[in-house]
Amino acid sequence: MKNQLETIFKKISEAVRQVSELKQLEDIRVKALGRKGELTRVLQGLKDLPPAVRREVGQIANVMKGQLLRHIETRVEELKRASWTADPKLRPDPTLPGRPPELGREHILNRTIRDIEDIFRSLGFAVAEGPEVETDYYNFGAMNFPVDHPSRDMHDTLFISGDVLLRTHTSPVQVRYMEQQSPPLRAIMPGKTYRCDDDATHSPMFHQVEGLMVDRDVSFADLKAVLTLFIRRVFGTGAQLRFRPSFFPFTEPSAEIDMACVKCRGKGCNLCKGTGWVEILGAGMVHPQVLRAGRIDPETYTGFAFGMGVERMAMLKYGIDHLRYFFENDLRFLRQF
Ligand code: DAH
């Protein structure tokens, strides 16, 4: 077998030396080293040899294979250079500008969350996270949704099994946070949320940022001050807010907060559906039951909470007119920010 290898090696080396065109060189490489090549076939025969011989012949064959590949590479270079001499237009131009590397960038939703975090950090809020796979207790029970109460239908819940579900809002992180920290506490809780809903204005997965502040004597005035400051940092000092009475099981009193439409400045347009206002936040004073679920005594402490949709914020801030842009991953959209 050694002799056989020797013969093949000599034959191929000679052929490589004689060849005068790149195309022929490639043919030689395939015939010798390709999947059905001569050398390959001999190497396949190795497995029938006794182990000691197999090792020796195997080593020789591998060395030969390496040498042949190097011969071929060298010959490729030689032939290329020869062709440049024959026709200088074929010569590579080292003065051509290089191709710029493709750089990735932060997704606009992550960027928006980071901006929101920066503003609240500057107000002394911590940033906390909770699980996306939640229990019925944290998502609903601890948030003061009565069992079998229609308020649960406001959330089109994706159940996993039994009491396990995908959280429909970031509010359950409030109770998880209160269980771990004692007042005074201030935190925001950004993250993904899920609802069984999919149309032009709803996506089954979306992002929220929850906020919570608990201390002695926290009042609705504090809530109003913090949210007004936040919104003016995001949308400019001219941003106008309107607090409208509303209902959430986990707050009392509750409010929905509208901002004067960024597009028409209150005159009425398609964005604000002619009303001059767009809803941007839900908020309220933390319900005593929710404080109790978080092991905080509502006789001593009060708190406010709020929740906002991140997609909504980004759409208003950057004038994005359709939710689907966030999730299509079209680079032409993503590169704009
Ligand atoms: N969890 C509510 C939702 O998803 C938003 C919300 C409203 C959060 C009021 C709050 C709040 O903390 O106080 O619609």
Side-chain angles (χ1 to χ4, degrees):
M1 195 170 213
K2 267 196 252 172
N3 289 341
Q4 206 185 344
L5 281 172
E6 199 74 36
T7 319
I8 297 177
F9 180 76
K10 283 213 184 104
K11 193 176 82 185
I12 301 171
S13 301
E14 189 52 32
V16 170
R17 210 170 306 134
Q18 305 243 315
V19 97
S20 60
E21 273 176 49
L22 283 173
K23 166 89 186 61
Q24 294 168 341
L25 200 52
E26 178 60 11
D27 288 345
I28 295 174
R29 194 191 61 78
V30 173
K31 277 207 196 100
L33 304 168
R35 207 142 41 91
K36 291 184 187 143
E38 259 182 296
L39 193 68
T40 315
R41 232 175 307 142
V42 176
L43 286 172
Q44 279 162 355
L46 276 177
K47 63 177 186 307
D48 304 323
L49 297 176
V53 189
R54 192 195 307 159
R55 196 168 319 121
E56 195 200 336
V57 180
Q59 273 169 6
I60 297 174
N62 273 326
V63 171
M64 284 182 180
K65 193 171 167 183
Q67 277 180 357
L68 283 178
L69 283 172
R70 272 192 301 279
H71 282 337
I72 293 174
E73 263 171 43
T74 317
R75 194 72 190 124
V76 166
E77 277 306 306
E78 284 170 7
L79 290 177
K80 269 194 193 156
R81 278 168 202 283
S83 74
W84 300 343
T85 319
D87 182 357
K89 275 206 291 291
L90 294 176
R91 179 187 288 275
D93 179 357
T95 66
L96 284 176
R99 293 196 184 107
E102 281 277 348
L103 289 184
R105 68 197 59 230
E106 193 174 30
H107 192 281
I108 186 58
L109 287 177
N110 287 329
R111 167 70 199 273
T112 305
I113 291 174
R114 198 159 51 83
D115 288 344
I116 294 171
E117 287 177 3
D118 286 347
I119 295 172
F120 280 102
R121 276 211 190 87
S122 77
L123 298 174
F125 282 70
V127 178
E129 282 183 10
E132 290 167 30
V133 177
E134 242 329 345
T135 57
D136 187 274
Y137 170 72
Y138 282 106
N139 198 79
F140 292 123
M143 296 313 290
N144 197 34
F145 285 78
V147 178
D148 293 330
H149 191 271
S151 56
R152 294 194 179 208
D153 297 344
M154 284 162 65
H155 297 215
D156 304 280
T157 312
L158 287 156
F159 288 94
I160 292 180
S161 66
D163 280 347
V164 182
L165 45 79
L166 291 177
R167 68 179 176 193
T168 57
H169 51 172
T170 43
S171 301
V173 192
Q174 285 185 30
V175 170
R176 289 184 175 277
Y177 193 76
M178 288 188 278
E179 284 174 342
Q180 286 161 12
Q181 312 275 332
S182 38
L185 53 87
R186 265 179 288 182
I188 58 162
M189 304 135 209
K192 292 185 164 70
T193 48
Y194 301 84
R195 289 189 201 179
C196 188
D197 213 347
D198 193 7
D199 59 36
T201 54
H202 298 89
S203 150
M205 187 281 294
F206 55 105
H207 299 76
Q208 289 188 337
V209 175
E210 194 75 15
L212 176 70
M213 171 164 173
V214 181
D215 199 352
R216 289 170 202 271
D217 303 323
V218 170
S219 71
F220 205 92
D222 297 312
L223 168 66
K224 209 171 163 183
V226 166
L227 290 182
T228 304
L229 204 146
F230 165 68
I231 287 303
R232 293 197 170 154
R233 287 263 200 102
V234 177
F235 292 100
T237 47
Q240 289 296 323
L241 291 188
R242 167 173 96 169
F243 286 66
R244 206 163 21 83
S246 184
F247 170 79
F248 300 104
F250 35 91
T251 41
E252 180 57 37
S254 304
E256 276 174 310
I257 296 146
D258 302 332
M259 181 171 68
C261 182
V262 280
K263 193 164 164 189
C264 63
R265 296 178 184 282
K267 283 197 206 69
C269 66
N270 59 338
L271 179 63
C272 57
K273 301 198 183 78
T275 63
W277 296 91
V278 284
E279 188 196 321
I280 51 166
L281 284 150
M285 300 307 292
V286 182
H287 196 288
Q289 281 296 87
V290 176
L291 290 172
R292 272 187 208 107
R295 301 194 205 108
I296 290 175
D297 178 9
E299 299 299 326
T300 315
Y301 293 104
T302 52
F304 67 71
F306 57 87
M308 69 183 101
V310 177
E311 283 79 0
R312 180 42 101 71
M313 283 284 164
M315 286 169 89
L316 292 173
K317 168 129 180 144
Y318 299 102
I320 298 163
D321 55 16
H322 208 293
L323 191 62
R324 71 164 180 260
Y325 291 125
F326 292 119
F327 307 114
E328 274 176 347
N329 286 334
D330 185 329
L331 286 174
R332 290 169 303 179
F333 170 76
L334 297 174
R335 279 191 183 125
Q336 292 177 78
F337 305 101

